């Protein structure tokens, strides 16, 4: 907290899910592989569960552009 504002700091991500999907389509693929998509969705679900149940934080803007991948 700084001057009555909350700042959230995190690691710099490599790309977003939105960017990865656009890259896949640009390469002529219909999207991501099922294996990769399942991993991403599982990790996202775990992160959202942690925020909601452990920290009582509700993420109100879940979308591919806001899903940052490492």
């Amino acid at each position: 907290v700084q001057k009555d504002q909350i700042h959230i700091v995190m690691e710099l991500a490599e790309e977003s899910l939105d960017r990865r999907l656009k890259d896949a389509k640009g390469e002529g693929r219909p999207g991501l592989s099922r294996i990769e998509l399942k991993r991403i969705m599982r990790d996202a679900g775990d992160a959202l569960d942690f925020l909601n149940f452990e920290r009582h934080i509700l993420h109100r803007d879940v979308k591919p552009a806001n899903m940052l991948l490492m």
Side-chain angles (χ1 to χ4, degrees), residues 48 50-59:
L48 291 169
F50 174 78
L51 284 175
N52 188 27
F53 296 114
E54 299 294 326
R55 299 289 186 241
H56 307 290
I57 297 171
L58 180 62
H59 191 305

Side-chain angles (χ1 to χ4, degrees), residues 15-34 36-37 40 69:
E15 63 183 337
S16 69
L17 177 56
D18 187 55
R19 177 79 263 149
R20 184 155 310 162
L21 289 168
K22 287 177 182 173
D23 288 347
K25 289 186 177 188
E27 295 169 358
R29 296 183 285 145
L32 303 178
S33 72
R34 286 185 177 162
E36 183 177 17
L37 194 55
I40 291 169
L69 307 175

Side-chain angles (χ1 to χ4, degrees), residues 1-8:
V1 177
Q2 192 176 54
K3 294 183 182 180
D4 296 327
Q5 289 188 329
I6 296 174
H7 299 273
I8 298 174

